[in-house]
Every structure is written in C-alpha cells, then in structure tokens.
Amino acid sequence: MAELQKDFLFVLIKSLTTSEKRQFKLYVNRLGINVDAKFLLLFSEMDKMKEYDENIIIEKKISTKQQLSNLKAHLYKQILVSLRMNPSHQNYRIQLREQLDFANILYQKGLYKQALKILDKAKQAALELDEKTIASEIIDLEKVIESQFITRSIEGRADELIQQSREISRQNTYTTELSNLSLKLYSEMLIHGYVKSDEEREKILELFHSHIKEIELSKLNFTEKLWYFKAQVWKNQLLQDYKYTVKYAYQWVGLFHENPEMIISHPVWYVKGNNYLLKILFLYGNIDILEEHFEKFSKMVHSPHFNQNENLQSLIFVTQYNTLMNIHFIKGEFFSGTKLIPELELKMEKFRDKIDEHHFMILYLKMAAMFFGSKKFGQSIQYAMKIIESKGNVQEDLLFHTRILILMSKYESGIDEDYDDFIKATSKFALKMKKPGEFHFTSISFFKELNNLVPDKKQKAFEEFNEQLDEFSENEYYRRSLLYIDIHGWVKSKVYNLDVIEVIKQKVKYKRKS
C-alpha cells in the first residue's frame, strides 16, 4: 500500500528499473560530471538501502544534515530529467509539450516562420488527440507571433485563429465543468460512501444537475463525453442505482471501442472504465457476461500495441485480480480461489508504493472472504485483521463489514475466546461511525445474541435474521451493505441447512435464467 510518509526520493530510486539506472549514469556521464560528485554518491548509497536511513548518509560524510535537503532535491530533479529522455516514458503529451517548447525557443530567437510551422503541426496533432489544453496554449502562442510578425501565409489567418480559440474555449468550459463534477462525486463516494437516505439522494442529484444543466450531450466530443460518462457512473454508484451504473459504464468503455486510437492515448481511463464495468457486472452476478468482458479486457491490455508503464501495470493488476477473485466468488469456487492468494500477495508487494491503501484493503477483504468460503476460518480472521489493524484511512463501511466477517469466522470456527470483547468493540465502532444505520445495529444485535443461545434457539435466530435481511435487500439504501460480504448467503445456508457454496450456485443458476 502506498505510504505517503516515505521519503519521495528513496521511493523514486527504488522504482527505477535496471535499464533506467544505467541510463541515469550514462546521462550524468554525458554532462561531464565527476563520478565522485556528491549527488551521484547519494544515488549509489540510497540505491543500496533497503529502508531509508538519513543517519547512514551523514555518517558516511556524503552530506551534512544542513546540506542534505538541497542535495536530495538536486538528485531528484536529475533523475526526472533522465527519465524524461527515456524512450519508454515518451508519450504524445510529452512530445506535444516538447514541440511547444521548441516553438517558444525559435520565437525568442526571432525565427517566426519556423516557430509557426512547428506550432501548426503540433496543433493539428493536439486537436486530433483531443488535447484541448495544449491546443489552447499553442493557439495563444500563434496569436502572439501573428500579432508581431505579419506572415501573410494564410488568408483570413486572424479569423481562423479567433474561431479556433473560441471553439476550444467552449470545449474547455465543458471539460472543466464535467471534470469538476466527476471529481466531486468521486470524492463524495470515497469520503461519505453510498447514499443512505432520501435527503442524501436529493443532495447528490442537485449537485449533478447544477453542473450539467448548460451542457448538450450532442455537442460533446470525446473528452467531454468521457467525463460525462464518468460522472454518470459515479453518481449512479452513489445512488446505488446499478441499472444506470452499468448502462453508463458500458458507454464509457464503448466510447473507447468507437475511437480505438484513444485507447492508446488515454489508456488509464480505458482501464478504469473496464474496472468499473467489471465490478458492476460482478454485482449483477451474471457470470457469462462477466467472463466475456473480462476476456475482452485481458486481450486488449496484453496485446503488443498496448504500452504498459508502471502506472498502467498497477491499475491492470488491481482490475485483473479483483475480477479473478469475483469470478471465483460468483461460481462458489472458494478452494481454487485461495490458490490465487500467494501469487496475489507477491504482486501486491511489487506494487506496494503504486496502489492506494483502499484498494489494498479491498483485496485483503476478498482474501479473507475466500478463506471463509473454503472453511479456513483461522486464516480468514488473520487476513481480515490486516484491515482492522491498518493505520491508513479506510472507509467505515469496509471496516464494519470486515468486523462482521470476523464474527462469522469466530462463530464457525469456535475460536470465540474474545468473541464478546470483539462484539463490544464492534458496537463502539458502529456508534462512532458518521452515518450508522439500522442494518449495522441489527447485525451487531444478532451476533451478540447468537453466542448466548442454546443450539435449539440458534436456528430460530437465523430465521428471524434472514427475514430482516430480506427486508434490507428490498431497501435501496441498504442493498449495497449486503454486497461487501455475502452475509445473506451465509445466513440462508444456516436456515436451509445447506453449504454456503450450494446457496451461491443456486443464485448463479437463477441469474443465468433471468
């Protein structure tokens, strides 16, 4: 999991591949810098470290404590310059920026025609790639040059630039509004979670409509449509309206398949769109459609022309393993699902500094649930406790359902020495939640009562709780709570005296028919 308190320079050095380290040293040599230069010594020393230790640097007299901050800043900058020159990090945005920089240099030297020629080519490329921000900067520089040097190269040049500038300004306004809306909705989802009342629902709808009232979908181009579909996905996720979430997730991914060149230029949002689509298809539980889309996604991201940098590799990893685990859940294949876990943990370690804590916690919850389904209750508790003991910022709902999974595991395993203490701790946690609901307190009451009942009375308790869960599943504001872990499936297995795997298989069979 990403730890922001780690030293940034140390994390950057540890992220370098062998070829990137070699290129950095070649880059420094080309600068004619002495191999004993302090920033090179600092690089070599930090590269050898397993954990960052400032004292070692000072003890070896590479730098004094007072000078270390400046030396690290200089090394950080030189590594970034070296990486910028690496062909593997070149993309069209960097290339467009480079062309704009070249044009600025030529303009400052008074070579106006050469500058305009570079700008014209760069502008066409930016417009084709729907990079309006860079295109706007290019047009601004063109206007500056044209106002100082009469080129007469194109008749009506001023009108052409004015028209282009107005059109891009209009599109940028749309993009700004829609991107602000998307970010706000995404923030609401991470901070407050899903809506739990009509009042919260109205607040989200009011926020959404206030941003889109002036926007006509028919006039949007690729980037604006992308932001619009993102906003729709996040809005409908917040509202727990999964019918429309899946509709707009399909449109998000479909937009890329209608414009395949944009998959290469906007790969992050292609992966993100598929991530949301695959997650919502899992919630629908139709295994055939889920597997079909997962196969399409895997084929695309592992094709030779899909360039994977470290950022993309981490995003693909999260999407791939979340989906693989979800497929095992839907099929009730818990035992084979646990075989993924050693491989999954190795890759989690590889991407530890590139993935946020929330996504790591989701993976730990899936592993704990997989062990629960395969009746390895001790290991289920062990992995669930990684979430409880995390010092990061973990969503309240995620923490609560992790606690419920631990209670389920303690009940099934008989490892219940601290069961009552854990119930008390869970009750205190629920009371401190920002928006605890009836579902939270009903669940706690059930588990509190369950441990004190004689075997004959436990069956009745499960039946009553099952009826309560049936009611919660009909309530649109509690529906999502039943999807973190399949507590309803577990309770039904007790009511009907079935293995939980059989309950899941019956649900899959029903959804295939429907």
Side-chain angles (χ1 to χ4, degrees), residues 112-113 116-117 142-143 145-161:
Y112 304 128
K113 285 187 176 180
L116 287 170
K117 184 176 180 181
E142 283 183 305
K143 288 193 284 188
I145 296 173
E146 290 287 357
S147 67
Q148 294 183 34
F149 178 68
I150 302 173
T151 63
R152 304 183 191 279
S153 56
I154 301 175
E155 189 177 346
R157 177 72 167 153
D159 290 338
E160 178 190 1
L161 288 174

Short mmCIF file of all heavy atoms in Angstrom, two decimals, residues 112-113 116-117 142-143 145-161:
data_model
loop_
_atom_site.label_atom_id
_atom_site.label_comp_id
_atom_site.label_asym_id
_atom_site.label_seq_id
_atom_site.Cartn_x
_atom_site.Cartn_y
_atom_site.Cartn_z
N TYR A 112 10.35 33.40 -36.61
CA TYR A 112 8.90 33.31 -36.53
C TYR A 112 8.30 32.23 -37.44
O TYR A 112 7.41 31.48 -37.04
CB TYR A 112 8.26 34.67 -36.84
CG TYR A 112 8.74 35.79 -35.96
CD1 TYR A 112 9.23 36.98 -36.50
CD2 TYR A 112 8.70 35.66 -34.58
CE1 TYR A 112 9.67 38.01 -35.69
CE2 TYR A 112 9.14 36.68 -33.75
CZ TYR A 112 9.63 37.85 -34.30
OH TYR A 112 10.06 38.86 -33.49
N LYS A 113 8.77 32.19 -38.68
CA LYS A 113 8.20 31.22 -39.63
C LYS A 113 8.44 29.78 -39.17
O LYS A 113 7.55 28.93 -39.26
CB LYS A 113 8.78 31.43 -41.03
CG LYS A 113 8.23 32.65 -41.75
CD LYS A 113 8.72 32.70 -43.19
CE LYS A 113 8.09 33.87 -43.95
NZ LYS A 113 8.55 33.93 -45.35
N LEU A 116 6.10 29.05 -36.28
CA LEU A 116 4.71 28.84 -36.71
C LEU A 116 4.53 27.49 -37.40
O LEU A 116 3.49 26.84 -37.26
CB LEU A 116 4.28 29.97 -37.65
CG LEU A 116 4.02 31.32 -36.98
CD1 LEU A 116 3.85 32.41 -38.02
CD2 LEU A 116 2.79 31.24 -36.07
N LYS A 117 5.54 27.06 -38.12
CA LYS A 117 5.45 25.76 -38.81
C LYS A 117 5.35 24.63 -37.78
O LYS A 117 4.52 23.71 -37.91
CB LYS A 117 6.68 25.56 -39.69
CG LYS A 117 6.62 24.27 -40.52
CD LYS A 117 7.82 24.16 -41.45
CE LYS A 117 7.75 22.88 -42.28
NZ LYS A 117 8.92 22.73 -43.16
N GLU A 142 0.55 31.17 -31.14
CA GLU A 142 0.35 31.57 -32.54
C GLU A 142 -0.16 33.01 -32.63
O GLU A 142 0.28 33.80 -33.47
CB GLU A 142 -0.65 30.62 -33.23
CG GLU A 142 -0.07 29.27 -33.60
CD GLU A 142 -1.08 28.42 -34.34
OE1 GLU A 142 -2.19 28.20 -33.81
OE2 GLU A 142 -0.77 27.95 -35.45
N LYS A 143 -1.11 33.36 -31.76
CA LYS A 143 -1.68 34.71 -31.77
C LYS A 143 -0.62 35.76 -31.41
O LYS A 143 -0.58 36.84 -31.99
CB LYS A 143 -2.87 34.80 -30.81
CG LYS A 143 -4.10 34.06 -31.33
CD LYS A 143 -5.36 34.40 -30.54
CE LYS A 143 -5.40 33.72 -29.22
NZ LYS A 143 -6.70 33.90 -28.53
N ILE A 145 2.64 35.48 -31.93
CA ILE A 145 3.57 35.62 -33.06
C ILE A 145 2.92 36.37 -34.21
O ILE A 145 3.51 37.28 -34.80
CB ILE A 145 4.06 34.22 -33.54
CG1 ILE A 145 4.86 33.55 -32.42
CG2 ILE A 145 4.90 34.35 -34.81
CD1 ILE A 145 5.25 32.11 -32.72
N GLU A 146 1.66 36.02 -34.54
CA GLU A 146 0.97 36.67 -35.65
C GLU A 146 0.78 38.17 -35.38
O GLU A 146 0.78 38.98 -36.31
CB GLU A 146 -0.40 36.02 -35.89
CG GLU A 146 -0.33 34.61 -36.47
CD GLU A 146 0.09 34.56 -37.93
OE1 GLU A 146 0.27 35.64 -38.54
OE2 GLU A 146 0.25 33.45 -38.46
N SER A 147 0.61 38.52 -34.10
CA SER A 147 0.41 39.94 -33.78
C SER A 147 1.71 40.75 -33.90
O SER A 147 1.68 41.97 -33.94
CB SER A 147 -0.15 40.08 -32.36
OG SER A 147 0.80 39.66 -31.41
N GLN A 148 2.85 40.04 -33.93
CA GLN A 148 4.13 40.74 -34.02
C GLN A 148 4.80 40.62 -35.38
O GLN A 148 5.67 41.39 -35.72
CB GLN A 148 5.10 40.18 -32.97
CG GLN A 148 4.66 40.47 -31.54
CD GLN A 148 5.68 39.95 -30.55
OE1 GLN A 148 6.86 39.96 -30.81
NE2 GLN A 148 5.19 39.50 -29.40
N PHE A 149 4.35 39.61 -36.13
CA PHE A 149 5.02 39.35 -37.40
C PHE A 149 3.97 38.99 -38.44
O PHE A 149 3.33 37.96 -38.35
CB PHE A 149 6.01 38.19 -37.22
CG PHE A 149 6.73 37.79 -38.48
CD1 PHE A 149 7.66 38.64 -39.06
CD2 PHE A 149 6.48 36.56 -39.08
CE1 PHE A 149 8.33 38.26 -40.22
CE2 PHE A 149 7.14 36.18 -40.23
CZ PHE A 149 8.08 37.04 -40.81
N ILE A 150 3.78 39.87 -39.42
CA ILE A 150 2.76 39.66 -40.44
C ILE A 150 3.27 38.61 -41.42
O ILE A 150 4.14 38.89 -42.26
CB ILE A 150 2.43 40.97 -41.18
CG1 ILE A 150 1.96 42.01 -40.16
CG2 ILE A 150 1.37 40.75 -42.25
CD1 ILE A 150 1.77 43.39 -40.73
N THR A 151 2.71 37.39 -41.33
CA THR A 151 3.22 36.30 -42.16
C THR A 151 2.57 36.25 -43.53
O THR A 151 3.16 35.80 -44.50
CB THR A 151 2.96 34.95 -41.47
OG1 THR A 151 1.56 34.76 -41.35
CG2 THR A 151 3.59 34.91 -40.08
N ARG A 152 1.30 36.69 -43.63
CA ARG A 152 0.53 36.61 -44.88
C ARG A 152 0.50 35.19 -45.44
O ARG A 152 0.26 34.99 -46.62
CB ARG A 152 1.10 37.57 -45.94
CG ARG A 152 1.18 39.01 -45.48
CD ARG A 152 1.68 39.91 -46.60
NE ARG A 152 2.00 41.23 -46.12
CZ ARG A 152 1.10 42.19 -45.91
NH1 ARG A 152 -0.16 41.95 -46.13
NH2 ARG A 152 1.47 43.37 -45.46
N SER A 153 0.79 34.21 -44.60
CA SER A 153 0.86 32.82 -45.08
C SER A 153 -0.51 32.25 -45.40
O SER A 153 -0.65 31.41 -46.28
CB SER A 153 1.56 31.94 -44.04
OG SER A 153 0.89 32.03 -42.81
N ILE A 154 -1.52 32.67 -44.67
CA ILE A 154 -2.87 32.16 -44.91
C ILE A 154 -3.84 33.33 -44.89
O ILE A 154 -3.83 34.14 -43.96
CB ILE A 154 -3.29 31.14 -43.82
CG1 ILE A 154 -2.32 29.96 -43.79
CG2 ILE A 154 -4.71 30.64 -44.05
CD1 ILE A 154 -2.60 28.97 -42.68
N GLU A 155 -4.67 33.38 -45.92
CA GLU A 155 -5.67 34.45 -45.97
C GLU A 155 -6.70 34.24 -44.85
O GLU A 155 -7.13 33.14 -44.59
CB GLU A 155 -6.39 34.41 -47.33
CG GLU A 155 -7.29 35.61 -47.55
CD GLU A 155 -7.92 35.60 -48.93
OE1 GLU A 155 -7.47 34.83 -49.78
OE2 GLU A 155 -8.86 36.37 -49.13
N GLY A 156 -7.06 35.31 -44.18
CA GLY A 156 -8.01 35.22 -43.07
C GLY A 156 -7.44 34.52 -41.86
O GLY A 156 -8.16 33.91 -41.07
N ARG A 157 -6.12 34.62 -41.68
CA ARG A 157 -5.43 33.93 -40.58
C ARG A 157 -5.98 34.36 -39.22
O ARG A 157 -6.20 33.53 -38.34
CB ARG A 157 -3.93 34.25 -40.68
CG ARG A 157 -3.07 33.68 -39.57
CD ARG A 157 -2.92 32.19 -39.72
NE ARG A 157 -1.88 31.69 -38.85
CZ ARG A 157 -1.83 30.47 -38.38
NH1 ARG A 157 -2.79 29.62 -38.71
NH2 ARG A 157 -0.86 30.07 -37.61
N ALA A 158 -6.21 35.65 -39.05
CA ALA A 158 -6.73 36.15 -37.77
C ALA A 158 -8.09 35.55 -37.46
O ALA A 158 -8.34 35.09 -36.33
CB ALA A 158 -6.81 37.68 -37.80
N ASP A 159 -8.99 35.52 -38.44
CA ASP A 159 -10.33 34.96 -38.23
C ASP A 159 -10.25 33.47 -37.89
O ASP A 159 -11.02 32.97 -37.05
CB ASP A 159 -11.20 35.16 -39.47
CG ASP A 159 -11.58 36.62 -39.68
OD1 ASP A 159 -11.53 37.37 -38.69
OD2 ASP A 159 -11.90 36.99 -40.83
N GLU A 160 -9.33 32.78 -38.55
CA GLU A 160 -9.17 31.35 -38.31
C GLU A 160 -8.75 31.09 -36.85
O GLU A 160 -9.32 30.24 -36.16
CB GLU A 160 -8.12 30.76 -39.25
CG GLU A 160 -7.86 29.28 -39.03
CD GLU A 160 -6.65 28.76 -39.80
OE1 GLU A 160 -6.00 29.57 -40.50
OE2 GLU A 160 -6.35 27.57 -39.67
N LEU A 161 -7.76 31.85 -36.37
CA LEU A 161 -7.28 31.67 -35.00
C LEU A 161 -8.34 32.06 -33.97
O LEU A 161 -8.49 31.39 -32.94
CB LEU A 161 -6.01 32.49 -34.77
CG LEU A 161 -4.73 31.99 -35.46
CD1 LEU A 161 -3.58 32.97 -35.26
CD2 LEU A 161 -4.34 30.61 -34.92
#
